[in-house]
Amino acid sequence: MSRRSATWRGITVATALEDIRCPTEWTFEQDRHVLVIHTEGRMTSLETDFDNGPRSDILPEIGGIWLVPAGRRYTALARGNTAGFIEIQLPARLHGSPGTDLRPVIAGTDPFVARAGERLVSLIDAEDDLGQMLAENLAEVLRMHLLHEYALGDMVSEQIALPARFSLREQALLRSFIEDHLSEPLSLELMAALVERSIHNFLTAFRAAFGTTPIQYVIERRLIRVRAMLRGTSMPITEIALATGFASHSHLTATFRKHMGASPTEWRRDRRG
């Protein structure tokens, strides 16, 4: 079995590919919620059972999801060729209470969860702060989606629904902080802590104040500094990349081309005639 994993904001995402030519048993019984997304492979049989129900022998479709709430015991007996899946573990406390009760799901359909899981897997090996911020953002959105769509009872507090706003002082503080730390690794957690907000509240308030996401704002400010250095200095592209918070020459080049339609070298040459 092959396996890769990463953790963002208490949410662990792993991808695995398992040989199930012999009958294979899976058991989950944890103090965390477990979300499983079937991504590849074919099963000839699958028997699943939650303690106190439900039970099923439904064969999984690609993109099908299984949700095992914290504290519930889930067992499955599978057979086929291979089974590829994404496993996402989330804290029992999703928001504002000792624990969040979620309803169990067997072979469910949720395109958003499937896409979010695939995108998080693509970020497992991301080493730059922009990739990490994107993963943190997506993990937070996934957490809120599960809370809204699968929580039992009225678990969504009024605090979540209230619109978040930054004061002018907080906006100025964030602008100054980001500008002063563009060359350093930034994170949503660090910026949210600066204005004493939860990640969810911070993301909502940031978009309301700046008209974009924190990730896009940081990229925009870094590219402004890159263009100034390309015009005003003869520094090598690699040195400019590291001085403006990009992980490498290639990382800067890919981001610059995506937003400017040319590589940094091409852009510098065209501006200098």
PDB file of all heavy atoms in Angstrom, residues 103-116:
ATOM      1  N   ARG A 103     -23.904  13.211  10.890  1.00  0.00           N
ATOM      2  CA  ARG A 103     -24.634  12.009  10.509  1.00  0.00           C
ATOM      3  C   ARG A 103     -23.731  11.111   9.673  1.00  0.00           C
ATOM      4  O   ARG A 103     -22.951  11.593   8.853  1.00  0.00           O
ATOM      5  CB  ARG A 103     -25.894  12.358   9.727  1.00  0.00           C
ATOM      6  CG  ARG A 103     -25.686  13.146   8.445  1.00  0.00           C
ATOM      7  CD  ARG A 103     -27.020  13.441   7.782  1.00  0.00           C
ATOM      8  NE  ARG A 103     -26.879  14.302   6.617  1.00  0.00           N
ATOM      9  CZ  ARG A 103     -26.636  13.856   5.387  1.00  0.00           C
ATOM     10  NH1 ARG A 103     -26.499  12.554   5.174  1.00  0.00           N
ATOM     11  NH2 ARG A 103     -26.531  14.691   4.375  1.00  0.00           N
ATOM     12  N   PRO A 104     -23.800   9.798   9.866  1.00  0.00           N
ATOM     13  CA  PRO A 104     -22.989   8.890   9.059  1.00  0.00           C
ATOM     14  C   PRO A 104     -23.458   8.868   7.616  1.00  0.00           C
ATOM     15  O   PRO A 104     -24.648   9.024   7.326  1.00  0.00           O
ATOM     16  CB  PRO A 104     -23.193   7.534   9.741  1.00  0.00           C
ATOM     17  CG  PRO A 104     -24.499   7.651  10.437  1.00  0.00           C
ATOM     18  CD  PRO A 104     -24.637   9.088  10.860  1.00  0.00           C
ATOM     19  N   VAL A 105     -22.514   8.672   6.712  1.00  0.00           N
ATOM     20  CA  VAL A 105     -22.835   8.618   5.282  1.00  0.00           C
ATOM     21  C   VAL A 105     -22.140   7.397   4.683  1.00  0.00           C
ATOM     22  O   VAL A 105     -20.956   7.159   4.934  1.00  0.00           O
ATOM     23  CB  VAL A 105     -22.365   9.889   4.550  1.00  0.00           C
ATOM     24  CG1 VAL A 105     -22.607   9.768   3.047  1.00  0.00           C
ATOM     25  CG2 VAL A 105     -23.077  11.123   5.109  1.00  0.00           C
ATOM     26  N   ILE A 106     -22.874   6.627   3.887  1.00  0.00           N
ATOM     27  CA  ILE A 106     -22.325   5.494   3.153  1.00  0.00           C
ATOM     28  C   ILE A 106     -22.561   5.715   1.671  1.00  0.00           C
ATOM     29  O   ILE A 106     -23.694   5.939   1.238  1.00  0.00           O
ATOM     30  CB  ILE A 106     -22.975   4.161   3.584  1.00  0.00           C
ATOM     31  CG1 ILE A 106     -22.603   3.815   5.030  1.00  0.00           C
ATOM     32  CG2 ILE A 106     -22.559   3.027   2.661  1.00  0.00           C
ATOM     33  CD1 ILE A 106     -23.243   2.539   5.528  1.00  0.00           C
ATOM     34  N   ALA A 107     -21.473   5.677   0.888  1.00  0.00           N
ATOM     35  CA  ALA A 107     -21.564   5.809  -0.573  1.00  0.00           C
ATOM     36  C   ALA A 107     -22.368   7.041  -0.978  1.00  0.00           C
ATOM     37  O   ALA A 107     -23.191   6.993  -1.885  1.00  0.00           O
ATOM     38  CB  ALA A 107     -22.169   4.546  -1.187  1.00  0.00           C
ATOM     39  N   GLY A 108     -22.128   8.149  -0.297  1.00  0.00           N
ATOM     40  CA  GLY A 108     -22.840   9.379  -0.601  1.00  0.00           C
ATOM     41  C   GLY A 108     -22.270  10.084  -1.822  1.00  0.00           C
ATOM     42  O   GLY A 108     -21.195   9.737  -2.330  1.00  0.00           O
ATOM     43  N   THR A 109     -22.990  11.074  -2.297  1.00  0.00           N
ATOM     44  CA  THR A 109     -22.553  11.895  -3.436  1.00  0.00           C
ATOM     45  C   THR A 109     -22.435  13.336  -2.979  1.00  0.00           C
ATOM     46  O   THR A 109     -23.410  13.931  -2.513  1.00  0.00           O
ATOM     47  CB  THR A 109     -23.559  11.810  -4.596  1.00  0.00           C
ATOM     48  OG1 THR A 109     -23.673  10.446  -5.016  1.00  0.00           O
ATOM     49  CG2 THR A 109     -23.089  12.650  -5.773  1.00  0.00           C
ATOM     50  N   ASP A 110     -21.228  13.884  -3.091  1.00  0.00           N
ATOM     51  CA  ASP A 110     -20.994  15.280  -2.724  1.00  0.00           C
ATOM     52  C   ASP A 110     -19.850  15.795  -3.595  1.00  0.00           C
ATOM     53  O   ASP A 110     -18.679  15.655  -3.235  1.00  0.00           O
ATOM     54  CB  ASP A 110     -20.651  15.404  -1.237  1.00  0.00           C
ATOM     55  CG  ASP A 110     -20.653  16.848  -0.753  1.00  0.00           C
ATOM     56  OD1 ASP A 110     -20.238  17.728  -1.525  1.00  0.00           O
ATOM     57  OD2 ASP A 110     -21.075  17.094   0.399  1.00  0.00           O
ATOM     58  N   PRO A 111     -20.173  16.356  -4.758  1.00  0.00           N
ATOM     59  CA  PRO A 111     -19.118  16.797  -5.679  1.00  0.00           C
ATOM     60  C   PRO A 111     -18.142  17.786  -5.060  1.00  0.00           C
ATOM     61  O   PRO A 111     -16.943  17.747  -5.365  1.00  0.00           O
ATOM     62  CB  PRO A 111     -19.909  17.432  -6.831  1.00  0.00           C
ATOM     63  CG  PRO A 111     -21.241  16.766  -6.793  1.00  0.00           C
ATOM     64  CD  PRO A 111     -21.519  16.543  -5.334  1.00  0.00           C
ATOM     65  N   PHE A 112     -18.639  18.660  -4.173  1.00  0.00           N
ATOM     66  CA  PHE A 112     -17.724  19.621  -3.558  1.00  0.00           C
ATOM     67  C   PHE A 112     -16.683  18.903  -2.711  1.00  0.00           C
ATOM     68  O   PHE A 112     -15.490  19.211  -2.784  1.00  0.00           O
ATOM     69  CB  PHE A 112     -18.479  20.625  -2.688  1.00  0.00           C
ATOM     70  CG  PHE A 112     -17.541  21.504  -1.896  1.00  0.00           C
ATOM     71  CD1 PHE A 112     -16.902  22.578  -2.495  1.00  0.00           C
ATOM     72  CD2 PHE A 112     -17.256  21.225  -0.559  1.00  0.00           C
ATOM     73  CE1 PHE A 112     -16.008  23.360  -1.784  1.00  0.00           C
ATOM     74  CE2 PHE A 112     -16.365  22.002   0.155  1.00  0.00           C
ATOM     75  CZ  PHE A 112     -15.740  23.081  -0.454  1.00  0.00           C
ATOM     76  N   VAL A 113     -17.110  17.955  -1.884  1.00  0.00           N
ATOM     77  CA  VAL A 113     -16.176  17.218  -1.035  1.00  0.00           C
ATOM     78  C   VAL A 113     -15.159  16.467  -1.893  1.00  0.00           C
ATOM     79  O   VAL A 113     -13.960  16.458  -1.597  1.00  0.00           O
ATOM     80  CB  VAL A 113     -16.933  16.244  -0.113  1.00  0.00           C
ATOM     81  CG1 VAL A 113     -15.972  15.265   0.560  1.00  0.00           C
ATOM     82  CG2 VAL A 113     -17.711  17.020   0.950  1.00  0.00           C
ATOM     83  N   ALA A 114     -15.627  15.833  -2.967  1.00  0.00           N
ATOM     84  CA  ALA A 114     -14.725  15.085  -3.842  1.00  0.00           C
ATOM     85  C   ALA A 114     -13.671  16.008  -4.456  1.00  0.00           C
ATOM     86  O   ALA A 114     -12.471  15.682  -4.462  1.00  0.00           O
ATOM     87  CB  ALA A 114     -15.515  14.364  -4.924  1.00  0.00           C
ATOM     88  N   ARG A 115     -14.089  17.153  -4.962  1.00  0.00           N
ATOM     89  CA  ARG A 115     -13.136  18.090  -5.577  1.00  0.00           C
ATOM     90  C   ARG A 115     -12.193  18.674  -4.536  1.00  0.00           C
ATOM     91  O   ARG A 115     -10.993  18.845  -4.791  1.00  0.00           O
ATOM     92  CB  ARG A 115     -13.884  19.204  -6.303  1.00  0.00           C
ATOM     93  CG  ARG A 115     -14.581  18.751  -7.590  1.00  0.00           C
ATOM     94  CD  ARG A 115     -14.996  19.948  -8.435  1.00  0.00           C
ATOM     95  NE  ARG A 115     -15.933  20.802  -7.725  1.00  0.00           N
ATOM     96  CZ  ARG A 115     -17.252  20.683  -7.777  1.00  0.00           C
ATOM     97  NH1 ARG A 115     -17.795  19.716  -8.485  1.00  0.00           N
ATOM     98  NH2 ARG A 115     -18.041  21.518  -7.119  1.00  0.00           N
ATOM     99  N   ALA A 116     -12.732  19.014  -3.372  1.00  0.00           N
ATOM    100  CA  ALA A 116     -11.892  19.573  -2.311  1.00  0.00           C
ATOM    101  C   ALA A 116     -10.829  18.571  -1.879  1.00  0.00           C
ATOM    102  O   ALA A 116      -9.669  18.931  -1.661  1.00  0.00           O
ATOM    103  CB  ALA A 116     -12.753  19.985  -1.127  1.00  0.00           C
TER     104      ALA A 116
END
